[in-house]
Amino acid sequence: MSDTGYLPKEKIKDFLKELAKDAVVYAPCLEGDIVLFRPFSEERTLCLDRPANTPPKSVIYPQSETLFAFQYKKAPEDHQKMSVELKADIGVPNMVIFGARPCDAKGFRIYDRVFIETNTPDPYYRKRRENTLIVTLSCAAPSPGCFCVAVGGGPAHKEGSDVMMTELEGGYVIEPVTEKGRAILGKHVIEDGKPYLKDAQHVQAKAHDEVRNPFAPDELPKISQSLFNFDGFWEQVVGKCVSCGACTYLCPTCYCFNITDEQGIGSGERVRSWDACMFFHFTLEASGHNPRPTKFQRFKNRVGHKFIYYPEKYEGVIACCGCGRCIRYCPVNVDISEIVNYLKDTHQELHWASSRKEGTQPTVGSTKDE
Ligand code: SF4
Ligand code: SF4
């Protein structure tokens, strides 16, 4: 069998049906004007011509999930004595994420380091991750806001994918990336893709050249600490943020969560739900003290986590895959790539330092429309 497959466009539904025999297949589907990952069925309209509005992160890392149920039990011999019975169910079906973009797959690698590659792996995340096959579609052209190449990725970057597809006029070239992904080549609708491989590589290289790199010529952005620690900079660049949290919810690399006990009489459930560092309550302590009470401190933490703290912990890996969603969908046009660009430029540091001395406000591009 050749190492490369080919899926003719007219057979894509047959292919999805074949995958669905053994797994729940999540694919990007049109809902009104937006594209969301949904369990695929014949009634849904598949949409592969642009990246989904939301990444497929909830398939492996649900927005809300029950970790376990608990029930208080009185001891029959002494009603003053109580015990708690716990029940956890982490049964997960086989799943396929079909048509994710390479940045979305790279996002799961950001999660893997936190939830799996640690001394205390998260059994819920790990089980879903192990049971999921990720079939990505390389991007033929960048979408507004994308900057994947500037943070170590690219429109055909394979990290996190099990299989990568590249679209040609009549079909998709299929390149397995992992052993798990190789099984795809055995599906009966898959033809030999070797004759098309060069064309696919050409499409990939062309797309790579078209993605903007706001941090060029640097290979990866390196943030200047003194500007990062200057509050006036943050006050100005995020002055127009409305703290809606959309940037964190749409981000394929944001993974903060909250845990709550949803309690009834004598029983309840412990639930984990996504949280967002852009919300005021995120770091609110029981005493009423909040170490990050202002939105500029919260945004500073968001950028710091992705571009300083995570890389410090995980061998320089930046916890942003450059998908551009936070830029495309921020209601007030806050642009994280523009902010990081300011932070890495030492000339900007001098510019801000001198304005600090003179008491003037330097102009930041991202706030010019205010
Ligand atoms: S999407 Fe924009 S306005 Fe909303 S929290 Fe993020 S930066 Fe602020
Ligand atoms: S920070 Fe923005 S560009 Fe980076 S991965 Fe998250 S949503 Fe995408």
Side-chain angles (χ1 to χ4, degrees), residues 5 40 83 103 108 112 122 131 133 172 201 203 240 249 253 256 266 344:
F40 185 71
S83 62
C103 53
F108 288 121
D112 291 349
D122 180 302
N131 283 20
L133 182 83
Y172 300 90
Q201 287 164 344
V203 169
K240 61 186 177 181
Y249 274 76
T253 66
C256 289
K344 70 176 241 320

Short mmCIF file of all heavy atoms in Angstrom, two decimals, residues 5 40 83 103 108 112 122 131 133 172 201 203 240 249 253 256 266 344:
data_model
loop_
_atom_site.label_atom_id
_atom_site.label_comp_id
_atom_site.label_asym_id
_atom_site.label_seq_id
_atom_site.Cartn_x
_atom_site.Cartn_y
_atom_site.Cartn_z
N GLY A 5 -2.69 8.64 0.43
CA GLY A 5 -4.00 8.30 -0.12
C GLY A 5 -4.61 9.47 -0.86
O GLY A 5 -4.09 10.60 -0.85
N PHE A 40 -21.41 14.52 12.70
CA PHE A 40 -21.86 14.60 11.31
C PHE A 40 -22.99 13.63 11.02
O PHE A 40 -23.01 12.51 11.50
CB PHE A 40 -20.69 14.32 10.36
CG PHE A 40 -21.07 14.52 8.94
CD1 PHE A 40 -21.31 15.79 8.44
CD2 PHE A 40 -21.27 13.42 8.11
CE1 PHE A 40 -21.70 15.98 7.13
CE2 PHE A 40 -21.68 13.61 6.79
CZ PHE A 40 -21.88 14.89 6.30
N SER A 83 -20.96 8.89 55.38
CA SER A 83 -19.88 8.58 54.42
C SER A 83 -20.29 9.16 53.07
O SER A 83 -21.46 9.50 52.86
CB SER A 83 -19.66 7.07 54.32
OG SER A 83 -20.84 6.47 53.83
N CYS A 103 -3.68 24.45 12.97
CA CYS A 103 -3.51 25.22 14.23
C CYS A 103 -4.36 24.61 15.34
O CYS A 103 -3.95 24.59 16.51
CB CYS A 103 -3.88 26.70 14.01
SG CYS A 103 -5.49 26.96 13.28
N PHE A 108 -4.14 21.10 20.59
CA PHE A 108 -4.24 19.94 21.48
C PHE A 108 -2.87 19.57 22.06
O PHE A 108 -2.78 19.05 23.17
CB PHE A 108 -4.87 18.74 20.76
CG PHE A 108 -6.35 18.92 20.51
CD1 PHE A 108 -6.88 18.91 19.23
CD2 PHE A 108 -7.22 19.11 21.58
CE1 PHE A 108 -8.24 19.08 19.01
CE2 PHE A 108 -8.59 19.28 21.37
CZ PHE A 108 -9.10 19.27 20.08
N ASP A 112 -1.87 18.79 25.82
CA ASP A 112 -1.26 17.50 26.20
C ASP A 112 -0.19 17.68 27.27
O ASP A 112 -0.08 16.89 28.20
CB ASP A 112 -0.60 16.83 24.99
CG ASP A 112 -1.61 16.35 23.96
OD1 ASP A 112 -2.81 16.33 24.26
OD2 ASP A 112 -1.18 16.00 22.84
N ASP A 122 -4.55 14.01 33.74
CA ASP A 122 -6.00 14.17 33.88
C ASP A 122 -6.68 13.01 33.14
O ASP A 122 -6.60 12.92 31.92
CB ASP A 122 -6.39 15.51 33.25
CG ASP A 122 -7.87 15.78 33.37
OD1 ASP A 122 -8.69 14.96 32.87
OD2 ASP A 122 -8.23 16.81 33.94
N ASN A 131 -8.84 8.35 22.55
CA ASN A 131 -9.92 7.76 21.74
C ASN A 131 -10.26 8.60 20.50
O ASN A 131 -11.23 8.30 19.82
CB ASN A 131 -11.18 7.61 22.58
CG ASN A 131 -11.09 6.44 23.52
OD1 ASN A 131 -9.99 5.97 23.79
ND2 ASN A 131 -12.23 5.95 24.00
N LEU A 133 -9.29 10.38 16.83
CA LEU A 133 -8.43 10.48 15.64
C LEU A 133 -8.60 11.89 15.08
O LEU A 133 -9.73 12.35 14.88
CB LEU A 133 -8.90 9.45 14.61
CG LEU A 133 -8.10 9.39 13.33
CD1 LEU A 133 -6.85 8.52 13.53
CD2 LEU A 133 -8.94 8.80 12.20
N TYR A 172 -8.84 15.17 -2.24
CA TYR A 172 -7.94 15.49 -1.13
C TYR A 172 -6.81 14.46 -1.07
O TYR A 172 -7.07 13.25 -1.08
CB TYR A 172 -8.71 15.45 0.20
CG TYR A 172 -9.85 16.44 0.24
CD1 TYR A 172 -11.13 16.07 -0.20
CD2 TYR A 172 -9.65 17.75 0.67
CE1 TYR A 172 -12.18 16.97 -0.18
CE2 TYR A 172 -10.70 18.66 0.69
CZ TYR A 172 -11.96 18.26 0.26
OH TYR A 172 -13.00 19.16 0.26
N GLN A 201 2.11 19.15 -2.14
CA GLN A 201 3.23 19.85 -1.51
C GLN A 201 3.35 21.28 -2.06
O GLN A 201 3.70 22.21 -1.35
CB GLN A 201 4.53 19.07 -1.71
CG GLN A 201 4.57 17.83 -0.83
CD GLN A 201 5.62 16.81 -1.23
OE1 GLN A 201 6.16 16.86 -2.34
NE2 GLN A 201 5.90 15.86 -0.36
N VAL A 203 0.82 23.13 -3.12
CA VAL A 203 -0.27 23.90 -2.48
C VAL A 203 0.16 24.31 -1.06
O VAL A 203 -0.03 25.45 -0.63
CB VAL A 203 -1.58 23.05 -2.41
CG1 VAL A 203 -2.62 23.70 -1.52
CG2 VAL A 203 -2.14 22.83 -3.81
N LYS A 240 -9.86 49.51 25.23
CA LYS A 240 -11.19 49.33 24.63
C LYS A 240 -11.78 47.92 24.82
O LYS A 240 -12.90 47.65 24.41
CB LYS A 240 -11.13 49.65 23.15
CG LYS A 240 -10.19 48.77 22.35
CD LYS A 240 -10.10 49.29 20.93
CE LYS A 240 -9.11 48.49 20.10
NZ LYS A 240 -9.02 49.01 18.74
N TYR A 249 -12.70 31.93 24.97
CA TYR A 249 -13.59 30.81 24.63
C TYR A 249 -13.34 30.27 23.23
O TYR A 249 -13.50 29.08 22.97
CB TYR A 249 -15.06 31.22 24.81
CG TYR A 249 -15.51 31.02 26.24
CD1 TYR A 249 -15.13 31.90 27.22
CD2 TYR A 249 -16.27 29.90 26.61
CE1 TYR A 249 -15.50 31.71 28.54
CE2 TYR A 249 -16.64 29.69 27.93
CZ TYR A 249 -16.25 30.60 28.90
OH TYR A 249 -16.60 30.39 30.20
N THR A 253 -6.04 27.19 22.44
CA THR A 253 -4.98 26.88 23.40
C THR A 253 -5.31 27.35 24.82
O THR A 253 -4.52 27.15 25.72
CB THR A 253 -3.63 27.50 22.97
OG1 THR A 253 -3.74 28.93 23.01
CG2 THR A 253 -3.23 27.08 21.57
N CYS A 256 -8.05 27.18 30.86
CA CYS A 256 -8.40 27.42 32.26
C CYS A 256 -9.81 26.91 32.57
O CYS A 256 -10.68 26.97 31.71
CB CYS A 256 -8.33 28.91 32.58
SG CYS A 256 -6.62 29.48 32.60
N GLY A 266 -28.54 15.66 49.65
CA GLY A 266 -27.86 14.39 49.90
C GLY A 266 -27.02 13.87 48.75
O GLY A 266 -26.40 12.81 48.86
N LYS A 344 7.93 42.94 21.70
CA LYS A 344 9.21 42.34 21.35
C LYS A 344 10.18 43.34 20.73
O LYS A 344 11.34 43.04 20.51
CB LYS A 344 9.01 41.16 20.39
CG LYS A 344 8.57 41.54 19.00
CD LYS A 344 8.48 40.34 18.10
CE LYS A 344 9.39 40.43 16.91
NZ LYS A 344 9.56 41.69 16.21
#
